[in-house]
Amino acid sequence: MKTSIRKAIHQVDVLLAPFMLSAFKEQNAFTSFLFHALFQNKEELALNLADPQQQVTVDVFRRFVEYHLEKGYTFVSPTDVLKGLDPDKKSILITFDDGYYNNLRALPVMEEFQVPALFFISANHVLKGKAFWWDVVYREGKKAGRSDEAILEEKAHLLTLTDEEVDKHLIRTYGEHCLKPVSDTDRPLTSAELRTFSEHPLVYIGNHTCDHAVLTNYTSAGMREQIAQAQDILEDMIGYRPASIAYPCGEYNEDVLRATQEEGIVLGITTNHAKNAYPSLSDPKTMLTLNRFTIWGTEDLQGQCDFYRSDYHLLDSMRGIYHKLKPSAKV
Ligand SMILES: [Zn+2]
C-alpha cells in the first residue's frame, strides 16, 4: 500500500479511536512503550545539541503516565512481567533505550506516580563516555547547514553498518573528536551514575548491546559478542546480569534470538507497534520478541494514546483486504 494512502488511513484511525474506544470495550493486554532522550523543554531541543528523535519532553512523559493511570492501566516492572501478569488488568511497561544521562529526568515523575521503568543501556557508550552516532550526525549536520533530508540519508546509511564502520565513517567525516559528547543533553550516563540509578527501587536495567549494534548487520560471532560483552560490562557496573534486552533499532533474526537465549536473557523487546496478548506471553519466543509502541512529542499525546489503546483500526482491516487482493504486495 502506498505510504500516502497508509498515512491518510492512519489519520482517520486516529480520529476514530475515541469513538471506537467508547463503542468497544478495550481488551486487557500488556502494552509497552519506548522512549529515548528525555528533553527538559522545547528550548533545550532548539539548541541542536542532540538528535531531537521523538522530541519527548519531561512534560510529555508526565502526561503520558497520567493518561494511562486515568484509563486504569497498571504500570508494571520487568520482574512483574516475568512473574506473570494479571490477565484481568491492562498492564503497561515504560522503557527507555540507549542510556542517556537525561533519562534521570524521568525519576521525579516515576517517584511521584510510583511507576517503574526499564532502561536499556548501550554498555560501551557508558563505559567510554562516548557520544551516540546519530547525535553526532545531527549536530555536525546542523552546524554545517545541511538539510534534514541529507541528515536522514546519512543516518539511513549508517544503520546498515557495524559500530566499527560507523565510527570510522564519523571520524573520517567529522574529525577524531566528534565522538566526544558536548553537553548533558547528549551524553550517556557515567558508570557511577548508572550504578546509583540502578539501585533505585523503581529502576530496572536491560541490555542494549555493547555498542548499540544493529545486530542483523553482524556475523553470528559478532552479534554474540555484542550481547555477551554488554552483559559482562553491565554486571560490573550494576552488580547483576540483565534479564532483558531491547534490540537496537528493533532489528533481530533467528540468530539474534538464539544468542540472546544463550546469554540467559528471557525478555526481549522489539519496535513492532502492537499490544501483546496475554496468552502469547506463555511462549518463551514471544517473550523475546515483545511489541512496543513509540510516543512522539510532535503529535497530540491523547490522540496517540487513544489510537494505541483502540483494538479496532481501519488500517489493519484494509491491509488484510489488500493482501487478499494482491498477496505479493509489500505494504
Ligand atoms: Zn537504541
Side-chain angles (χ1 to χ4, degrees), residues 1-14:
M1 199 183 290
K2 275 189 179 165
T3 312
S4 54
I5 300 175
R6 204 169 54 222
K7 273 188 184 163
I9 302 171
H10 173 76
Q11 283 312 317
V12 175
D13 269 331
V14 170

Side-chain angles (χ1 to χ4, degrees), residues 20 42 78 110-111 143 180 182 204 238 240:
M20 293 296 189
K42 290 206 166 107
M110 292 162 59
E111 285 173 342
K143 258 199 262 173
K180 255 177 89 91
V182 294
Y204 294 79
I238 62 175
Y240 63 89

Side-chain angles (χ1 to χ4, degrees), residues 29-179:
F30 166 49
T31 312
S32 177
F33 280 88
L34 162 63
F35 296 91
H36 291 101
L38 197 52
F39 294 92
Q40 192 63 58
N41 47 37
K42 290 206 166 107
E43 287 70 34
E44 185 183 25
L45 267 162
L47 295 174
N48 289 339
L49 295 168
D51 185 337
Q53 301 176 333
Q54 288 77 37
Q55 306 197 26
V56 173
T57 59
V58 176
D59 177 56
V60 169
F61 178 61
R62 193 174 195 286
R63 287 190 288 123
F64 163 86
V65 173
E66 278 180 312
Y67 171 96
H68 286 93
L69 286 172
E70 273 168 26
K71 303 299 178 193
Y73 273 75
T74 303
F75 283 85
V76 296
S77 71
T79 311
D80 296 328
V81 179
L82 292 172
K83 272 195 230 157
L85 297 169
D86 184 347
D88 294 329
K89 286 183 175 171
K90 296 186 292 261
S91 305
I92 182 168
L93 172 69
I94 299 170
T95 70
F96 280 84
D97 281 10
D98 302 333
Y100 279 101
Y101 165 72
N102 62 39
N103 286 177
L104 295 181
R105 293 166 175 163
L107 213 43
V109 178
M110 292 162 59
E111 285 173 342
E112 181 181 348
F113 297 103
Q114 283 300 298
V115 297
L118 172 55
F119 296 83
F120 291 106
I121 309 295
S122 177
N124 259 342
H125 284 88
V126 171
L127 190 68
K128 299 176 180 173
K130 188 171 147 186
F132 297 105
W133 67 257
W134 49 91
D135 289 329
V136 177
V137 171
Y138 187 84
R139 182 175 65 235
E140 297 299 326
K142 282 285 164 188
K143 258 199 262 173
R146 295 172 68 203
S147 68
D148 286 344
E149 288 73 28
I151 292 172
L152 272 178
E153 213 172 286
E154 186 176 359
K155 281 167 65 177
H157 168 60
L158 296 184
L159 281 173
T160 65
L161 306 179
T162 64
D163 64 289
E164 277 178 23
E165 292 165 337
V166 169
D167 285 2
K168 265 188 208 155
H169 166 94
L170 293 177
I171 290 168
R172 199 172 52 232
T173 315
Y174 303 114
E176 58 179 316
H177 298 298
C178 72
L179 285 164

